[in-house]
Amino acid sequence: MFLSLRTEVEEALEGALAELEYPTDDLGIEEPPEDVESVLASSVAFRLASEAGAPPPRVAGQVADAIDADELTYVSEIRTQGPYLNFLPSDAYFAETLAAGTDETYGSLADRDTSLVVEHTSANPTGPVHVGRARNPIIGDAVANLLDFAGYDVSRHYYVNDAGRQMAVFTWAYETFDEADLEAEPERDRIEYDLVRYYRKGNRFLENASEAEVEAAEAEIDSIMQGLEAGDEETYERVSEVVDQVLSGMKTCLGRLPAEFDEFVKETRFMRDDSTDDVVSRLEDLDDAVYEEEAWQLNLESFGIEKNLVFLRSDGTSLYPTRDLAHHEWKFDNYDQAVTVLGEDHKLQARQIDATLELLGNDTDKLEQVLYSYVNLPEGKMSTRRGTGVDLDDLLDEAIDRAREEVETRLDDRIRDDDLDEDDIERIAHQVGIGAVRYDIVSKQPTKAITFEWERALDFEAQSAPYVQYVHARCCGILEEAGFDVEAGEFPEADVDADLLETPAERALLETIARLPAVVDEAADDLEPHQIATYTREFADRFNAFYRECPVLADDVDPDRREARLALVATSKHTVANALSILGVAAPRSM
RNA sequence: GGGCGCGUAGCUCAGUCCGGAAAGAGCGUCGGACUUCUAAUCCGACGGUCGUGGGUUCAAAUCCCAUCGCGCCCGCCA
């Protein structure tokens, strides 16, 4: 409804300015501060003052007089306050918001008839997922949810780097060493924890062994890479044995978030179908291609990139970026738009890919990146190869354990006698624990660097998931108390008199609810799910004020008012449930 | 050295793209509110040279220039 109101205000303002023969290029529309009653404001009077030869407040009055509020649907009144024009919402604005909000899908936007692929995580299948990379699936999943909710037809892809030197080293190590060669037991009873020990052993060997031993190992590693490049089926099988096993474990871990994928796209696919070779030959034909030091390179200076992009090694094998180019052209062939979520350490690479795709004749406007900064430990970087870092599994376990403790200590002083059983406690522990981890990460701008600290990551106070989740539980509590089976999708009638929602707390809550579709629209446009998190916080504040001020089920509440408030609670439930679902945070019906 | 990002209350962060009303939250500290639809809640107090210096503007946390601090990148790795 907010979007409709904004359109209405824009048109009214533009009409008034035109009528007064003022320029209409900048309407100065803005959202007013919290203590101002309006939902939308304009500071256009400042800009017109010199042209009008009158002080801003007088211009504001003049513009306000030129608009007839009676002709507007969602605006009841235009009030000036000094130089500002304030647009106050009408009863229809509130009534239509309430009506729209009783739909369970409230906030979702109309189908855009646009297919879009979100690639995220794409961590190399070398071992357990660690916290340093955990931002990727959490942000990526939220971006995908957000775009889905905003009307795009979204596919979620994990690009599997199964063709690089890392996997050749891993395969060689896996085939060369035995359990007896490994120093330690697996940290966890799952395949990627088992196999990563071979990878680490292999890397240590290459660092420490004698020159002759390393040379022999390198020859074997090189033959694996050559085999992959040549499309040799046997080599592919050997590498796949490692890749598929490790990947299955990583999938299990990511599934706990949960982050699910529609497709795992393997890099080798673009070698086997010859599209990488095709890219290479097309690149060689470009004017910007140079053959230097026996390797084919691309000069990207015209894009402001000093560094040459090597796309074919002197031994004739392709490099990661070369295969990624084929991968991206495949995306362009199959989807209308593409979004990639990746760490800021890949930023230069992303620019190179973008520039090269353009040279190859692609429309790179269809491709966008979401970049995030690394999560580091206080003592430094996390590394799978060196085995430093905190595993995502451990973080999630710890979060659930702490959440369970919270639930149990709160059990004693619960007022409500809804007797939570063991299953409930376990459910709440999972919802709150994992929700807190996700919310903590998704609510911040991804460009900000994060240093991982247990206490901070697992703080359930603060502006955290439980705070917002609690609001959802409160909504469900009221609805269930009123006899609705929320779990079965039973909600109160939408046909109520919204005019009865007249207190400031109710109006403020409705105003916030009204903004959800606009927030989704803008967040999707900017690819910034943290805007949704910010919104959930504001929404929770408003709901808690309503909860405090406006009893719904108390005996002294008039039946009609009770019905209206119940509808408002149902609308609130949908609003917060949908916003949380975008963030990938569970919405508990009790806590 | 060059490129990019970040710098807002003691701490963690919104707000910056698109300049407008007296800079907003949470945590922490201090003081209050449960016989009431769940207190994982709420109310109040304290707390700010928006890194620094210049500039543009009627108006700058927001735009421009410079500068300092921190991070990332600058492989025939991925």
Side-chain angles (χ1 to χ4, degrees), chain A residues 145-221:
Chain A
N145 294 340
L146 173 59
L147 292 168
D148 182 20
F149 209 68
Y152 292 92
D153 182 8
V154 176
S155 298
R156 298 148 198 259
H157 287 193
Y158 185 122
Y159 185 51
V160 184
N161 306 152
D162 63 338
R165 187 185 144 81
Q166 284 186 2
M167 292 323 300
V169 169
F170 203 158
T171 303
W172 156 78
Y174 178 69
E175 293 172 348
T176 304
F177 299 104
D178 294 321
E179 178 71 34
D181 300 319
L182 306 172
E183 282 87 348
E185 293 293 304
E187 288 163 36
R188 188 176 285 252
D189 182 22
R190 221 170 51 210
I191 189 69
E192 80 274 34
Y193 287 87
D194 181 7
L195 297 193
V196 71
R197 298 178 303 152
Y198 292 88
Y199 180 62
R200 288 176 183 152
K201 170 71 186 172
N203 277 292
R204 273 196 307 275
F205 181 89
L206 293 175
E207 279 168 32
N208 303 322
S210 71
E211 215 171 292
E213 286 175 314
V214 170
E215 203 173 303
E218 288 292 353
E220 181 58 27
I221 292 164

Side-chain angles (χ1 to χ4, degrees), chain A residues 90-107:
Chain A
S90 68
D91 289 342
Y93 182 68
F94 293 108
E96 288 192 30
T97 296
L98 187 68
T102 48
D103 188 324
E104 268 189 83
T105 64
Y106 177 64

